[in-house]
Amino acid sequence: MGKDGMNVALLGLGTVGKGVYKVMKTQRPEMPQKLNTVLNLKKILVRHPEAHVKDVDDPSILTSDYSQIVDDPDIDIVIELIGGIEPACTYIRDALEAGKSVVTANKDLIAERGGELMEIAEENHAELRFEASVAGGIPIISPLKNSLSANEISEVMGIVNGTTNFILSKMTDEGMDYEQALREATALGYAEADPTADVEGYDAARKMAIMASIAFHSRVTFRDVYTEGITKITAQDIAYAKTLGWVIKLIGLATNGKEGIEVRVHPMLIPQAHPIATVKGSYNAVYVRGDAVGDVMFYGRGAGEMPTASAVMGDVFSVARHTVYHSQGTTRDNVYRKIPIRRIENTVSSYFLRMEVEDKPGVLATIASIFGNNSVSIEQVIQKDKIGTNAELVIITSPVRERHIRDALLIINSSSVVKRVASMIRVYIDQREGEIS
Amino acid sequence: MGKDGMNVALLGLGTVGKGVYKVMKTQRPEMPQKLNTVLNLKKILVRHPEAHVKDVDDPSILTSDYSQIVDDPDIDIVIELIGGIEPACTYIRDALEAGKSVVTANKDLIAERGGELMEIAEENHAELRFEASVAGGIPIISPLKNSLSANEISEVMGIVNGTTNFILSKMTDEGMDYEQALREATALGYAEADPTADVEGYDAARKMAIMASIAFHSRVTFRDVYTEGITKITAQDIAYAKTLGWVIKLIGLATNGKEGIEVRVHPMLIPQAHPIATVKGSYNAVYVRGDAVGDVMFYGRGAGEMPTASAVMGDVFSVARHTVYHSQGTTRDNVYRKIPIRRIENTVSSYFLRMEVEDKPGVLATIASIFGNNSVSIEQVIQKDKIGTNAELVIITSPVRERHIRDALLIINSSSVVKRVASMIRVYIDQREGEIS
């Protein structure tokens, strides 16, 4: 830190990078009071500097050469907004090894290699912060690490992908089918040209891995997360759910209980009265259950230029304060446990099952008996629309281990009275009950 | 800090104190990993030690003599849970002057004298933290100071009193009248024997003063907050609001705009679709609007033994970490502006007015003309129940400065066609619009 303040370098000048550039400017007059120092944006790394001349006041800070940043001892903080694994990983490692602190919004990288990078940061008395990697502008990593740190956290449940929440909200509120809602999301810029990472749940899975690691003090990576997307959800599923008092959301659920940690992302039926059921459109929310605090929820914009820039700059301000007070590196990872990951087959849920069956007497008895033989209890049955000569049957089961439902469905699928199991969607249960059964 | 860890003293062993005692015990095995140190509860100050022997494992830590705490150089952190202004204020000042950090849940004291105490803390390189003074276990002070610190905050809106939210929820969901709902709140322990501080809004006002000071970086004290309670809200008001798509909540609203800061606590009609309208029973929520982050909301239990202990111990853990890393005192107050407080007469709202009027032609014309002469536009009128020979009229106005509505009501009250203005309740407007008009 020089006498003229601290120097910051920005890697990447896309949507969020431009937001960070703006906040650096608007907050400049406040910095002396807020930070006891001033932050200067000394370099911006972009692939083609000439393409970004119009984006900055002083084009001389643009560079395509990372050595101008990592080898410059006057640069104190590196903000990584390139995304993806490489070259971002190498850039961050090199910066940390040069003693610079790093702030990143890179969920792919933190979900996959956060552990080793945190170790490198600690060894070099530098900080690695990543509030923006989960749920955009919503403060969640810092509350988990600080305000809630005296809790034993048993559950983190989140709607952490705005694209899929937008699509499901459109399907729920306007009766659209999936393809129609996806087209609208794409047209409005909520979905990317290739929406796979969002609609298949990979994006949400990365965020859940990051939050689970912090909440449970045990490393969870992207590969540990069971993931199912929303592409098979139909307008019928949503309509049936509605009549039963539920909404369908893409939920990330991480729990830590007697049988270990489970982290999964999949569509889920949520009771309409649950606070997370009211989270609509592109908003995100994270619900946390701790032994002392009980239930708390954090809600807001989970993506976008300025909300994400808010989270990035909150981290940058924290690093700056720590540097001013010579306490840099005090924000530790706190991943000190090694808790096993519970396989999806061993998790406990209720299940919503929609199936096409022969429209004749005794069918329900046959199905009920298959379920009964596999330890599955039926809680609710709706028999509704005729489909040609067949009938549509919707069953909600009692909480049961997933392996039992899978066994039952194998047999049901080969039964002559059942034409097709159209949907199997997990239903929210209070996970404290899931522990018992 | 000694080689055997850090020593903590607790002032007060009431509900929250007992919660803190429990968390200190359950978290003890985690402390070496979470904090790089261990916290020992060395002393508990109570008025009558003999009355608390059963509450603790080792009664020798009980004392009624504060000098045993403040004069003990081995005590690093003092947790103040006595409440009220004195002797808490003297105890905290003396502890800070002795270089000890202080964690408190005392909203009365922080709302009134937080400024001077923060100065004493800074002078003595000690910390004064008070997350638990606002909204129980919900992290809000720390997010405002850290994760959201790169934002210019324009609005903080909260349901920050569980007692009144419980009463209003009962009135809304079960059609109870105020007295009935208050009796139930008292029976369930949600309301104190003397409920004045809750039902008159003073408790909420203190919390809003604390949050406004942090959010706007300008000192706001309890005396700056315009306060109205819920005692005049009737079942009729709630029923009319419901038919119009609103719910009535006791809202704390703090805004910082071109005309200065306004902070007020009063009943408000909130659109049913607003996330804060779904906050029911004894839950709390705080809605924050920042220039970068947009809207974020924090939701959870706003009171109680364990949620409040969670917030207290989160602060204690932060102080412990700072002490381990020799960065104690780095969490500054950041109140560096002096923004004037806007008087309630100059604030802008829409208004819900319920009045008894003569049931004859021309009455609405008379009222509308009085409003018109005072710059008040009518947005909606409902004429409904007859009350003897009179009619009940409900009017919703367009956004207007409060002094105009007051002028209009003065004239209306003296008009012969109006028998009584039964209710005047402010209606939520987007405060960004309130700036313009």
PDB file of all heavy atoms in Angstrom, chain A residues 30 33-34 149 151 296-297 299 310 325 327 332 334 336-337, chain B residues 30 33-34 149 151 296-297 299 310 325 327 332 334 336-337:
ATOM      1  N   GLU A  30     -16.218   8.608  -1.222  1.00  0.00           N
ATOM      2  CA  GLU A  30     -16.513   8.051   0.096  1.00  0.00           C
ATOM      3  C   GLU A  30     -15.348   7.264   0.689  1.00  0.00           C
ATOM      4  O   GLU A  30     -15.325   6.990   1.886  1.00  0.00           O
ATOM      5  CB  GLU A  30     -17.725   7.094  -0.002  1.00  0.00           C
ATOM      6  CG  GLU A  30     -18.950   7.657  -0.704  1.00  0.00           C
ATOM      7  CD  GLU A  30     -19.525   8.842   0.024  1.00  0.00           C
ATOM      8  OE1 GLU A  30     -19.563   8.821   1.273  1.00  0.00           O
ATOM      9  OE2 GLU A  30     -19.928   9.813  -0.660  1.00  0.00           O
ATOM     10  N   GLN A  33     -13.287   8.163   3.963  1.00  0.00           N
ATOM     11  CA  GLN A  33     -14.025   7.981   5.217  1.00  0.00           C
ATOM     12  C   GLN A  33     -14.323   6.511   5.484  1.00  0.00           C
ATOM     13  O   GLN A  33     -14.235   6.050   6.613  1.00  0.00           O
ATOM     14  CB  GLN A  33     -15.360   8.750   5.171  1.00  0.00           C
ATOM     15  CG  GLN A  33     -15.224  10.254   5.141  1.00  0.00           C
ATOM     16  CD  GLN A  33     -15.030  10.777   3.730  1.00  0.00           C
ATOM     17  OE1 GLN A  33     -15.272  10.071   2.766  1.00  0.00           O
ATOM     18  NE2 GLN A  33     -14.579  12.005   3.616  1.00  0.00           N
ATOM     19  N   LYS A  34     -14.714   5.776   4.438  1.00  0.00           N
ATOM     20  CA  LYS A  34     -15.107   4.393   4.653  1.00  0.00           C
ATOM     21  C   LYS A  34     -13.907   3.484   4.893  1.00  0.00           C
ATOM     22  O   LYS A  34     -14.019   2.491   5.610  1.00  0.00           O
ATOM     23  CB  LYS A  34     -15.901   3.868   3.442  1.00  0.00           C
ATOM     24  CG  LYS A  34     -17.321   4.386   3.357  1.00  0.00           C
ATOM     25  CD  LYS A  34     -18.117   3.680   2.243  1.00  0.00           C
ATOM     26  CE  LYS A  34     -19.548   4.206   2.183  1.00  0.00           C
ATOM     27  NZ  LYS A  34     -20.314   3.617   1.068  1.00  0.00           N
ATOM     28  N   SER A 149     -21.518 -17.377  12.682  1.00  0.00           N
ATOM     29  CA  SER A 149     -20.431 -18.334  12.896  1.00  0.00           C
ATOM     30  C   SER A 149     -20.534 -19.093  14.213  1.00  0.00           C
ATOM     31  O   SER A 149     -19.887 -20.117  14.375  1.00  0.00           O
ATOM     32  CB  SER A 149     -19.078 -17.627  12.816  1.00  0.00           C
ATOM     33  OG  SER A 149     -18.965 -16.680  13.857  1.00  0.00           O
ATOM     34  N   ASN A 151     -23.139 -20.634  15.122  1.00  0.00           N
ATOM     35  CA  ASN A 151     -24.174 -21.641  14.924  1.00  0.00           C
ATOM     36  C   ASN A 151     -23.592 -22.929  14.360  1.00  0.00           C
ATOM     37  O   ASN A 151     -22.635 -22.911  13.594  1.00  0.00           O
ATOM     38  CB  ASN A 151     -25.209 -21.148  13.902  1.00  0.00           C
ATOM     39  CG  ASN A 151     -26.201 -20.179  14.496  1.00  0.00           C
ATOM     40  OD1 ASN A 151     -27.282 -20.568  14.907  1.00  0.00           O
ATOM     41  ND2 ASN A 151     -25.820 -18.913  14.564  1.00  0.00           N
ATOM     42  N   VAL A 296     -33.226 -18.330   9.036  1.00  0.00           N
ATOM     43  CA  VAL A 296     -33.063 -16.981   8.480  1.00  0.00           C
ATOM     44  C   VAL A 296     -33.061 -17.091   6.961  1.00  0.00           C
ATOM     45  O   VAL A 296     -32.655 -18.102   6.405  1.00  0.00           O
ATOM     46  CB  VAL A 296     -31.757 -16.272   8.931  1.00  0.00           C
ATOM     47  CG1 VAL A 296     -31.874 -15.759  10.337  1.00  0.00           C
ATOM     48  CG2 VAL A 296     -30.550 -17.176   8.785  1.00  0.00           C
ATOM     49  N   MET A 297     -33.526 -16.035   6.304  1.00  0.00           N
ATOM     50  CA  MET A 297     -33.538 -16.045   4.852  1.00  0.00           C
ATOM     51  C   MET A 297     -32.920 -14.765   4.309  1.00  0.00           C
ATOM     52  O   MET A 297     -33.124 -13.685   4.857  1.00  0.00           O
ATOM     53  CB  MET A 297     -34.955 -16.208   4.302  1.00  0.00           C
ATOM     54  CG  MET A 297     -34.981 -16.447   2.798  1.00  0.00           C
ATOM     55  SD  MET A 297     -36.637 -16.835   2.147  1.00  0.00           S
ATOM     56  CE  MET A 297     -37.321 -15.200   1.994  1.00  0.00           C
ATOM     57  N   TYR A 299     -32.537 -12.568   0.687  1.00  0.00           N
ATOM     58  CA  TYR A 299     -33.319 -12.449  -0.541  1.00  0.00           C
ATOM     59  C   TYR A 299     -32.821 -11.268  -1.363  1.00  0.00           C
ATOM     60  O   TYR A 299     -32.480 -10.223  -0.798  1.00  0.00           O
ATOM     61  CB  TYR A 299     -34.776 -12.231  -0.129  1.00  0.00           C
ATOM     62  CG  TYR A 299     -35.722 -11.785  -1.206  1.00  0.00           C
ATOM     63  CD1 TYR A 299     -36.486 -12.713  -1.906  1.00  0.00           C
ATOM     64  CD2 TYR A 299     -35.873 -10.439  -1.517  1.00  0.00           C
ATOM     65  CE1 TYR A 299     -37.374 -12.306  -2.887  1.00  0.00           C
ATOM     66  CE2 TYR A 299     -36.754 -10.021  -2.501  1.00  0.00           C
ATOM     67  CZ  TYR A 299     -37.504 -10.959  -3.181  1.00  0.00           C
ATOM     68  OH  TYR A 299     -38.382 -10.551  -4.151  1.00  0.00           O
ATOM     69  N   SER A 310     -21.848  -5.006  -6.604  1.00  0.00           N
ATOM     70  CA  SER A 310     -22.000  -4.663  -5.183  1.00  0.00           C
ATOM     71  C   SER A 310     -21.278  -5.681  -4.308  1.00  0.00           C
ATOM     72  O   SER A 310     -20.560  -5.320  -3.365  1.00  0.00           O
ATOM     73  CB  SER A 310     -23.490  -4.615  -4.828  1.00  0.00           C
ATOM     74  OG  SER A 310     -23.693  -4.640  -3.432  1.00  0.00           O
ATOM     75  N   TYR A 325      -5.413  -1.904   8.288  1.00  0.00           N
ATOM     76  CA  TYR A 325      -5.184  -2.241   9.694  1.00  0.00           C
ATOM     77  C   TYR A 325      -4.228  -3.420   9.865  1.00  0.00           C
ATOM     78  O   TYR A 325      -4.180  -4.026  10.917  1.00  0.00           O
ATOM     79  CB  TYR A 325      -6.522  -2.508  10.393  1.00  0.00           C
ATOM     80  CG  TYR A 325      -7.322  -1.245  10.545  1.00  0.00           C
ATOM     81  CD1 TYR A 325      -8.339  -0.926   9.651  1.00  0.00           C
ATOM     82  CD2 TYR A 325      -7.024  -0.333  11.562  1.00  0.00           C
ATOM     83  CE1 TYR A 325      -9.057   0.245   9.770  1.00  0.00           C
ATOM     84  CE2 TYR A 325      -7.736   0.839  11.687  1.00  0.00           C
ATOM     85  CZ  TYR A 325      -8.755   1.127  10.796  1.00  0.00           C
ATOM     86  OH  TYR A 325      -9.452   2.289  10.924  1.00  0.00           O
ATOM     87  N   SER A 327      -4.334  -6.407   9.010  1.00  0.00           N
ATOM     88  CA  SER A 327      -4.930  -7.667   9.436  1.00  0.00           C
ATOM     89  C   SER A 327      -5.316  -8.511   8.228  1.00  0.00           C
ATOM     90  O   SER A 327      -6.171  -9.383   8.301  1.00  0.00           O
ATOM     91  CB  SER A 327      -6.163  -7.406  10.298  1.00  0.00           C
ATOM     92  OG  SER A 327      -7.105  -6.655   9.577  1.00  0.00           O
ATOM     93  N   ARG A 332     -10.236 -16.586   7.404  1.00  0.00           N
ATOM     94  CA  ARG A 332      -9.802 -17.917   7.057  1.00  0.00           C
ATOM     95  C   ARG A 332     -10.928 -18.727   6.438  1.00  0.00           C
ATOM     96  O   ARG A 332     -12.086 -18.355   6.500  1.00  0.00           O
ATOM     97  CB  ARG A 332      -9.268 -18.619   8.315  1.00  0.00           C
ATOM     98  CG  ARG A 332      -8.155 -17.821   8.975  1.00  0.00           C
ATOM     99  CD  ARG A 332      -7.350 -18.693   9.864  1.00  0.00           C
ATOM    100  NE  ARG A 332      -8.227 -19.494  10.716  1.00  0.00           N
ATOM    101  CZ  ARG A 332      -7.845 -20.638  11.259  1.00  0.00           C
ATOM    102  NH1 ARG A 332      -6.645 -21.108  11.020  1.00  0.00           N
ATOM    103  NH2 ARG A 332      -8.657 -21.301  12.046  1.00  0.00           N
ATOM    104  N   ASN A 334     -11.835 -21.849   7.275  1.00  0.00           N
ATOM    105  CA  ASN A 334     -12.611 -22.536   8.303  1.00  0.00           C
ATOM    106  C   ASN A 334     -13.234 -23.840   7.829  1.00  0.00           C
ATOM    107  O   ASN A 334     -14.288 -24.243   8.312  1.00  0.00           O
ATOM    108  CB  ASN A 334     -13.693 -21.609   8.858  1.00  0.00           C
ATOM    109  CG  ASN A 334     -13.272 -21.053  10.195  1.00  0.00           C
ATOM    110  OD1 ASN A 334     -12.762 -21.797  11.029  1.00  0.00           O
ATOM    111  ND2 ASN A 334     -13.455 -19.773  10.399  1.00  0.00           N
ATOM    112  N   TYR A 336     -12.540 -27.275   8.329  1.00  0.00           N
ATOM    113  CA  TYR A 336     -11.649 -28.066   9.174  1.00  0.00           C
ATOM    114  C   TYR A 336     -12.201 -29.454   9.459  1.00  0.00           C
ATOM    115  O   TYR A 336     -11.642 -30.202  10.236  1.00  0.00           O
ATOM    116  CB  TYR A 336     -11.343 -27.330  10.481  1.00  0.00           C
ATOM    117  CG  TYR A 336     -12.560 -26.908  11.294  1.00  0.00           C
ATOM    118  CD1 TYR A 336     -13.184 -27.804  12.166  1.00  0.00           C
ATOM    119  CD2 TYR A 336     -13.073 -25.627  11.180  1.00  0.00           C
ATOM    120  CE1 TYR A 336     -14.288 -27.436  12.908  1.00  0.00           C
ATOM    121  CE2 TYR A 336     -14.193 -25.245  11.914  1.00  0.00           C
ATOM    122  CZ  TYR A 336     -14.793 -26.145  12.777  1.00  0.00           C
ATOM    123  OH  TYR A 336     -15.899 -25.780  13.497  1.00  0.00           O
ATOM    124  N   ARG A 337     -13.342 -29.794   8.842  1.00  0.00           N
ATOM    125  CA  ARG A 337     -13.910 -31.124   9.062  1.00  0.00           C
ATOM    126  C   ARG A 337     -13.827 -31.938   7.774  1.00  0.00           C
ATOM    127  O   ARG A 337     -13.645 -31.386   6.694  1.00  0.00           O
ATOM    128  CB  ARG A 337     -15.380 -31.015   9.460  1.00  0.00           C
ATOM    129  CG  ARG A 337     -15.633 -30.271  10.742  1.00  0.00           C
ATOM    130  CD  ARG A 337     -17.136 -30.113  10.928  1.00  0.00           C
ATOM    131  NE  ARG A 337     -17.462 -29.389  12.149  1.00  0.00           N
ATOM    132  CZ  ARG A 337     -18.636 -28.816  12.372  1.00  0.00           C
ATOM    133  NH1 ARG A 337     -19.595 -28.861  11.450  1.00  0.00           N
ATOM    134  NH2 ARG A 337     -18.869 -28.175  13.496  1.00  0.00           N
TER     135      ARG A 337
ATOM    136  N   GLU B  30     -15.555 -26.297  18.986  1.00  0.00           N
ATOM    137  CA  GLU B  30     -15.291 -25.743  17.648  1.00  0.00           C
ATOM    138  C   GLU B  30     -14.336 -24.561  17.690  1.00  0.00           C
ATOM    139  O   GLU B  30     -13.773 -24.163  16.675  1.00  0.00           O
ATOM    140  CB  GLU B  30     -16.603 -25.278  17.000  1.00  0.00           C
ATOM    141  CG  GLU B  30     -17.723 -26.300  16.999  1.00  0.00           C
ATOM    142  CD  GLU B  30     -17.375 -27.537  16.195  1.00  0.00           C
ATOM    143  OE1 GLU B  30     -16.744 -27.401  15.134  1.00  0.00           O
ATOM    144  OE2 GLU B  30     -17.713 -28.649  16.662  1.00  0.00           O
ATOM    145  N   GLN B  33     -10.695 -24.372  16.114  1.00  0.00           N
ATOM    146  CA  GLN B  33     -10.660 -24.330  14.648  1.00  0.00           C
ATOM    147  C   GLN B  33     -11.258 -23.026  14.113  1.00  0.00           C
ATOM    148  O   GLN B  33     -10.753 -22.444  13.160  1.00  0.00           O
ATOM    149  CB  GLN B  33     -11.456 -25.498  14.060  1.00  0.00           C
ATOM    150  CG  GLN B  33     -10.854 -26.865  14.323  1.00  0.00           C
ATOM    151  CD  GLN B  33     -11.294 -27.430  15.656  1.00  0.00           C
ATOM    152  OE1 GLN B  33     -12.271 -26.975  16.243  1.00  0.00           O
ATOM    153  NE2 GLN B  33     -10.576 -28.419  16.150  1.00  0.00           N
ATOM    154  N   LYS B  34     -12.361 -22.581  14.710  1.00  0.00           N
ATOM    155  CA  LYS B  34     -13.024 -21.395  14.179  1.00  0.00           C
ATOM    156  C   LYS B  34     -12.274 -20.112  14.513  1.00  0.00           C
ATOM    157  O   LYS B  34     -12.318 -19.141  13.757  1.00  0.00           O
ATOM    158  CB  LYS B  34     -14.459 -21.293  14.740  1.00  0.00           C
ATOM    159  CG  LYS B  34     -15.446 -22.277  14.115  1.00  0.00           C
ATOM    160  CD  LYS B  34     -16.880 -21.988  14.561  1.00  0.00           C
ATOM    161  CE  LYS B  34     -17.859 -22.967  13.923  1.00  0.00           C
ATOM    162  NZ  LYS B  34     -19.243 -22.798  14.411  1.00  0.00           N
ATOM    163  N   SER B 149     -21.153  -2.420   1.842  1.00  0.00           N
ATOM    164  CA  SER B 149     -20.512  -1.133   2.137  1.00  0.00           C
ATOM    165  C   SER B 149     -20.162  -0.328   0.898  1.00  0.00           C
ATOM    166  O   SER B 149     -19.917   0.873   0.995  1.00  0.00           O
ATOM    167  CB  SER B 149     -19.262  -1.353   2.989  1.00  0.00           C
ATOM    168  OG  SER B 149     -18.295  -2.087   2.252  1.00  0.00           O
ATOM    169  N   ASN B 151     -22.219   0.322  -1.395  1.00  0.00           N
ATOM    170  CA  ASN B 151     -23.474   0.894  -1.878  1.00  0.00           C
ATOM    171  C   ASN B 151     -23.757   2.240  -1.232  1.00  0.00           C
ATOM    172  O   ASN B 151     -23.419   2.465  -0.070  1.00  0.00           O
ATOM    173  CB  ASN B 151     -24.662  -0.019  -1.523  1.00  0.00           C
ATOM    174  CG  ASN B 151     -24.782  -1.207  -2.448  1.00  0.00           C
ATOM    175  OD1 ASN B 151     -25.517  -1.170  -3.416  1.00  0.00           O
ATOM    176  ND2 ASN B 151     -24.013  -2.247  -2.150  1.00  0.00           N
ATOM    177  N   VAL B 296     -32.515  -5.885  -1.379  1.00  0.00           N
ATOM    178  CA  VAL B 296     -32.215  -7.143  -0.691  1.00  0.00           C
ATOM    179  C   VAL B 296     -33.051  -7.190   0.577  1.00  0.00           C
ATOM    180  O   VAL B 296     -33.384  -6.156   1.153  1.00  0.00           O
ATOM    181  CB  VAL B 296     -30.718  -7.305  -0.317  1.00  0.00           C
ATOM    182  CG1 VAL B 296     -29.892  -7.685  -1.523  1.00  0.00           C
ATOM    183  CG2 VAL B 296     -30.167  -6.059   0.340  1.00  0.00           C
ATOM    184  N   MET B 297     -33.394  -8.406   1.008  1.00  0.00           N
ATOM    185  CA  MET B 297     -34.177  -8.541   2.229  1.00  0.00           C
ATOM    186  C   MET B 297     -33.544  -9.591   3.137  1.00  0.00           C
ATOM    187  O   MET B 297     -33.037 -10.604   2.671  1.00  0.00           O
ATOM    188  CB  MET B 297     -35.613  -8.928   1.918  1.00  0.00           C
ATOM    189  CG  MET B 297     -36.523  -8.867   3.149  1.00  0.00           C
ATOM    190  SD  MET B 297     -38.277  -9.127   2.788  1.00  0.00           S
ATOM    191  CE  MET B 297     -38.338 -10.910   2.711  1.00  0.00           C
ATOM    192  N   TYR B 299     -34.418 -11.875   6.607  1.00  0.00           N
ATOM    193  CA  TYR B 299     -35.633 -12.374   7.240  1.00  0.00           C
ATOM    194  C   TYR B 299     -35.289 -13.393   8.312  1.00  0.00           C
ATOM    195  O   TYR B 299     -34.384 -14.206   8.120  1.00  0.00           O
ATOM    196  CB  TYR B 299     -36.480 -13.027   6.142  1.00  0.00           C
ATOM    197  CG  TYR B 299     -37.643 -13.871   6.599  1.00  0.00           C
ATOM    198  CD1 TYR B 299     -38.912 -13.327   6.694  1.00  0.00           C
ATOM    199  CD2 TYR B 299     -37.469 -15.212   6.923  1.00  0.00           C
ATOM    200  CE1 TYR B 299     -39.989 -14.107   7.104  1.00  0.00           C
ATOM    201  CE2 TYR B 299     -38.540 -15.991   7.337  1.00  0.00           C
ATOM    202  CZ  TYR B 299     -39.790 -15.435   7.424  1.00  0.00           C
ATOM    203  OH  TYR B 299     -40.847 -16.194   7.828  1.00  0.00           O
ATOM    204  N   SER B 310     -27.409 -16.036  19.151  1.00  0.00           N
ATOM    205  CA  SER B 310     -26.658 -16.256  17.910  1.00  0.00           C
ATOM    206  C   SER B 310     -25.982 -14.973  17.448  1.00  0.00           C
ATOM    207  O   SER B 310     -24.804 -14.963  17.062  1.00  0.00           O
ATOM    208  CB  SER B 310     -27.611 -16.775  16.819  1.00  0.00           C
ATOM    209  OG  SER B 310     -27.036 -16.671  15.538  1.00  0.00           O
ATOM    210  N   TYR B 325      -5.706 -11.843  15.635  1.00  0.00           N
ATOM    211  CA  TYR B 325      -4.896 -11.296  14.532  1.00  0.00           C
ATOM    212  C   TYR B 325      -4.473  -9.851  14.777  1.00  0.00           C
ATOM    213  O   TYR B 325      -4.097  -9.156  13.843  1.00  0.00           O
ATOM    214  CB  TYR B 325      -5.660 -11.441  13.216  1.00  0.00           C
ATOM    215  CG  TYR B 325      -5.778 -12.888  12.792  1.00  0.00           C
ATOM    216  CD1 TYR B 325      -6.935 -13.610  13.029  1.00  0.00           C
ATOM    217  CD2 TYR B 325      -4.696 -13.523  12.200  1.00  0.00           C
ATOM    218  CE1 TYR B 325      -7.022 -14.942  12.671  1.00  0.00           C
ATOM    219  CE2 TYR B 325      -4.773 -14.861  11.831  1.00  0.00           C
ATOM    220  CZ  TYR B 325      -5.940 -15.558  12.075  1.00  0.00           C
ATOM    221  OH  TYR B 325      -6.017 -16.875  11.726  1.00  0.00           O
ATOM    222  N   SER B 327      -6.021  -7.201  15.141  1.00  0.00           N
ATOM    223  CA  SER B 327      -6.683  -6.172  14.331  1.00  0.00           C
ATOM    224  C   SER B 327      -7.899  -5.628  15.062  1.00  0.00           C
ATOM    225  O   SER B 327      -8.815  -5.088  14.471  1.00  0.00           O
ATOM    226  CB  SER B 327      -7.089  -6.752  12.983  1.00  0.00           C
ATOM    227  OG  SER B 327      -7.971  -7.835  13.171  1.00  0.00           O
ATOM    228  N   ARG B 332     -14.911   0.157  12.323  1.00  0.00           N
ATOM    229  CA  ARG B 332     -15.208   1.523  12.731  1.00  0.00           C
ATOM    230  C   ARG B 332     -16.689   1.834  12.569  1.00  0.00           C
ATOM    231  O   ARG B 332     -17.435   1.101  11.941  1.00  0.00           O
ATOM    232  CB  ARG B 332     -14.369   2.486  11.900  1.00  0.00           C
ATOM    233  CG  ARG B 332     -12.873   2.173  12.044  1.00  0.00           C
ATOM    234  CD  ARG B 332     -12.050   3.350  11.649  1.00  0.00           C
ATOM    235  NE  ARG B 332     -12.530   3.894  10.394  1.00  0.00           N
ATOM    236  CZ  ARG B 332     -12.337   5.145  10.036  1.00  0.00           C
ATOM    237  NH1 ARG B 332     -11.700   5.977  10.837  1.00  0.00           N
ATOM    238  NH2 ARG B 332     -12.768   5.579   8.868  1.00  0.00           N
ATOM    239  N   ASN B 334     -18.007   4.522  11.081  1.00  0.00           N
ATOM    240  CA  ASN B 334     -18.297   5.002   9.736  1.00  0.00           C
ATOM    241  C   ASN B 334     -19.473   5.957   9.658  1.00  0.00           C
ATOM    242  O   ASN B 334     -20.157   6.029   8.649  1.00  0.00           O
ATOM    243  CB  ASN B 334     -18.523   3.814   8.786  1.00  0.00           C
ATOM    244  CG  ASN B 334     -17.307   3.582   7.926  1.00  0.00           C
ATOM    245  OD1 ASN B 334     -16.720   4.545   7.428  1.00  0.00           O
ATOM    246  ND2 ASN B 334     -16.904   2.343   7.776  1.00  0.00           N
ATOM    247  N   TYR B 336     -19.845   9.446   9.265  1.00  0.00           N
ATOM    248  CA  TYR B 336     -18.972  10.582   8.939  1.00  0.00           C
ATOM    249  C   TYR B 336     -19.710  11.725   8.258  1.00  0.00           C
ATOM    250  O   TYR B 336     -19.130  12.690   7.824  1.00  0.00           O
ATOM    251  CB  TYR B 336     -17.794  10.121   8.062  1.00  0.00           C
ATOM    252  CG  TYR B 336     -18.180   9.391   6.792  1.00  0.00           C
ATOM    253  CD1 TYR B 336     -18.505  10.112   5.634  1.00  0.00           C
ATOM    254  CD2 TYR B 336     -18.216   8.008   6.737  1.00  0.00           C
ATOM    255  CE1 TYR B 336     -18.860   9.459   4.471  1.00  0.00           C
ATOM    256  CE2 TYR B 336     -18.567   7.345   5.578  1.00  0.00           C
ATOM    257  CZ  TYR B 336     -18.891   8.077   4.445  1.00  0.00           C
ATOM    258  OH  TYR B 336     -19.248   7.425   3.295  1.00  0.00           O
ATOM    259  N   ARG B 337     -21.040  11.597   8.150  1.00  0.00           N
ATOM    260  CA  ARG B 337     -21.821  12.668   7.531  1.00  0.00           C
ATOM    261  C   ARG B 337     -22.705  13.326   8.571  1.00  0.00           C
ATOM    262  O   ARG B 337     -22.949  12.765   9.624  1.00  0.00           O
ATOM    263  CB  ARG B 337     -22.710  12.095   6.421  1.00  0.00           C
ATOM    264  CG  ARG B 337     -21.972  11.439   5.290  1.00  0.00           C
ATOM    265  CD  ARG B 337     -22.989  10.772   4.379  1.00  0.00           C
ATOM    266  NE  ARG B 337     -22.359  10.129   3.253  1.00  0.00           N
ATOM    267  CZ  ARG B 337     -22.965   9.208   2.493  1.00  0.00           C
ATOM    268  NH1 ARG B 337     -24.203   8.853   2.759  1.00  0.00           N
ATOM    269  NH2 ARG B 337     -22.334   8.663   1.486  1.00  0.00           N
TER     270      ARG B 337
END
